[in-house]
Each structure stands twice: as structure tokens, then as C-alpha cells.
Amino acid sequence: MRSHQVGSAPVHREVENGWEVAVPLAGMALDGVRMAGFHDRGAVGLDMRVLPQPAVIVVIGFGDDPMTVESGGGHRPRPLRSLAASLSPGPARIRGERVECVEVCLSPRAAYAVLGVSPRELDGAVTGLEDLWGRPERCLRERLADAVTWRERLGLVDEFLARRAAGAPSMAPEVAAVWDTIVARRGRVRVDDLAASCGWSRKRLWSRFSAQIGLTPKRAAMLVRFDHAARALRTGASISDAALACGYADQPHLHRDVLALAGCTPGALAGMATSAG
């Protein structure tokens, strides 16, 4: 972890389609963290589908209006100032007006250090961040609202995450290595081979990996493969080309995984808006 002053890292800022976006140009204090600031200057409004991806997404809102989270299962929409979306959050949609927020993308290893709970406890959902962090989350939002520059805001979040990670339990090196293998091989792995690579039984790997990552190894491989397919589809690849390039047996296999993880067809996923900017 690197030590630095709050707001010391330079920031790139631009306005596009009504959204002001600020991104730090230097690395974060904690490995496995990416962040960006968003401000809806053009009153465009936020309407974002939350899709599964191999990262935990944290959104810290500091504007006057809360965001609304709509999830499946007949649950009523919930107003939230800040939120955390698990690796595989299920069907969810985030809406908001005049949104001002910092979005943080956490690798599973970083999420394990800063969330304060096992990723498994997020239970495939979008969770209010105040429920996880309590008063520190409220204090952070207040400091972000008082800050006058993106440089200061992103620095505050960076410092906050580094403090939370200090002294937090570390992910088991075997679990981290298995995750890295799944990512490096784009989900094209066998669980038996993963267990053998770290000298664990399949049962022990399943238990430890699920507790610290929040998914079983098989589900994690499915998620990583899906993420590559989703990116390919959204950049214009045909369904057949995406299936072939991302290691699916055939188009029906891709269709089943997209339906299971995103709740829609590959064709619908290709045209889906997933971010504010």
C-alpha cells in the first residue's frame, strides 16, 4: 500500500452527454481498486441496469437526492444514498435524478478487505452501504459533499478504503491464486484442476472459495466467461462469434448463461445501457 496525501493524485475530468466524469490518473492506495466520479450536470437522469461482473461495485452518493434501486421478486423500490452490488447481483436497476457519486470497482480481494463482511453475505443482491459501514459511511458522504474538487473527493475515498483495509484479514493465498487462474483463463477451467493446483480437496476449495469470494468456483468461472461474452456482444460481435470466442459449446449454451446471469437474451444484452456515463 502506498502512502499519499488526500487529493494529491491528478485527475482527468471531462463532460460528455451531460455527464461530468472524473478519473484519477495515478494508481490507488489499495491494489484492485478503480474509481471514477460522476455528476449529472445535464439533468440526464440515471437509468442503469446492474449486470453481473467479476468485481464488487460500490456507489457512494453525495448529492441531495437518493438513488432508487429496483430489484426482482416483487420487492418495492428502495431509496439509497450509497450501495454495494455483489458479483452476481440478480436483476436490478438503479435510477436517479441529479446524481452525484463516486463509483468504486473492487476486485474480490479488495472487496474482502474493505466490505467488513464476507462477500457471501451480500447474497447476490444490491445492498445499502450504510447497512455495511454504518456511521463511517455517513461521515464519508458528508465529507464528499463538502469537498469542492474531484481531486479531493477521489482522494478522500481512496484514503477511506486504505484505512478500512489496514488490519483487515487477508484472503487465503490459495483462494486468491484460484481466482487469478479463473480470470487469466477467462473462465475456461475445471474445478478438479483448480483444487489440485492448490493442494486442496474439491470440497475444501468449494467451501473456502465461496466464503471469501462469494461464489462457488464453478459459478465464478461462469461469471468470468459471461463478462467476456457481454463485452464482446456490446462491442458489436455477433452471438455466434461471441459464443465461439468466449469458450461456449454453442449458441444455446451462451443463451442459457446470459439468461441465468443477466435475465435477458444475448440480443437484448447487446443493446443494454449499463452505466451512467
Side-chain angles (χ1 to χ4, degrees):
M1 187 173 69
R2 298 173 293 275
S3 175
H4 63 284
Q5 296 179 343
V6 171
S8 62
V11 169
H12 172 70
R13 174 182 164 275
E14 63 180 37
V15 178
E16 183 177 351
N17 298 325
W19 284 93
E20 180 183 20
V21 183
V23 180
L25 295 177
M28 300 292 97
L30 184 64
D31 289 337
V33 174
R34 292 183 289 110
M35 71 174 70
F38 294 93
H39 180 195
D40 183 5
R41 285 193 175 276
V44 177
L46 175 69
D47 186 359
M48 178 176 71
R49 281 285 299 271
V50 182
L51 289 176
Q53 56 183 296
V56 172
I57 304 301
V58 169
V59 179
I60 307 164
F62 56 88
D64 294 331
D65 300 312
M67 294 166 284
T68 300
V69 177
E70 302 172 5
S71 55
H75 299 293
R76 296 181 61 184
R78 294 171 295 153
L80 294 174
R81 295 286 180 179
S82 301
L83 56 92
S86 65
L87 292 169
S88 187
R93 196 168 199 142
I94 301 172
R95 302 179 191 270
E97 301 293 336
R98 297 179 295 277
V99 171
E100 292 182 88
C101 68
V102 174
E103 180 185 79
V104 184
C105 179
L106 299 170
S107 71
R109 194 178 315 195
Y112 187 71
V114 305
L115 286 180
V117 299
S118 165
R120 186 164 58 184
E121 294 184 34
L122 295 182
D123 194 26
V126 176
T127 305
L129 200 57
E130 189 173 353
D131 296 336
L132 299 178
W133 290 347
R135 178 173 172 76
E137 183 273 343
R138 296 192 297 274
C139 291
L140 176 60
R141 281 194 289 106
E142 290 170 1
R143 294 184 71 189
L144 291 174
D146 290 340
V148 295
T149 67
W150 280 116
R151 187 169 182 165
E152 183 180 359
R153 291 178 189 127
L154 298 179
L156 285 167
V157 176
D158 191 26
E159 182 186 67
F160 177 87
L161 295 176
R163 285 200 309 269
R164 286 193 63 86
S170 298
M171 180 175 286
E174 295 88 349
V175 170
V178 166
W179 172 263
D180 290 344
T181 298
I182 291 172
V183 172
R185 297 183 181 176
R186 298 190 170 194
R188 303 182 193 186
V189 293
R190 295 176 65 251
V191 176
D192 287 341
D193 293 339
L194 294 172
S197 71
C198 62
W200 285 355
S201 68
R202 182 186 177 103
K203 181 178 180 181
R204 186 181 185 191
L205 173 61
W206 201 275
S207 174
R208 295 288 297 277
F209 191 94
S210 300
Q212 296 186 20
I213 297 291
L215 300 172
T216 67
K218 182 177 180 180
R219 186 79 172 180
M222 178 182 177
L223 172 64
V224 169
R225 190 169 58 239
F226 162 84
D227 183 62
H228 283 284
R231 292 174 187 274
L233 289 168
R234 288 178 53 76
T235 54
S238 68
I239 296 173
S240 59
D241 287 345
L244 179 63
C246 298
Y248 290 91
D250 49 31
Q251 289 187 53
H253 184 195
L254 171 61
H255 183 95
R256 288 193 300 271
D257 275 15
V258 171
L259 196 59
L261 287 168
C264 65
T265 66
L269 176 63
M272 189 179 294
T274 58
S275 66

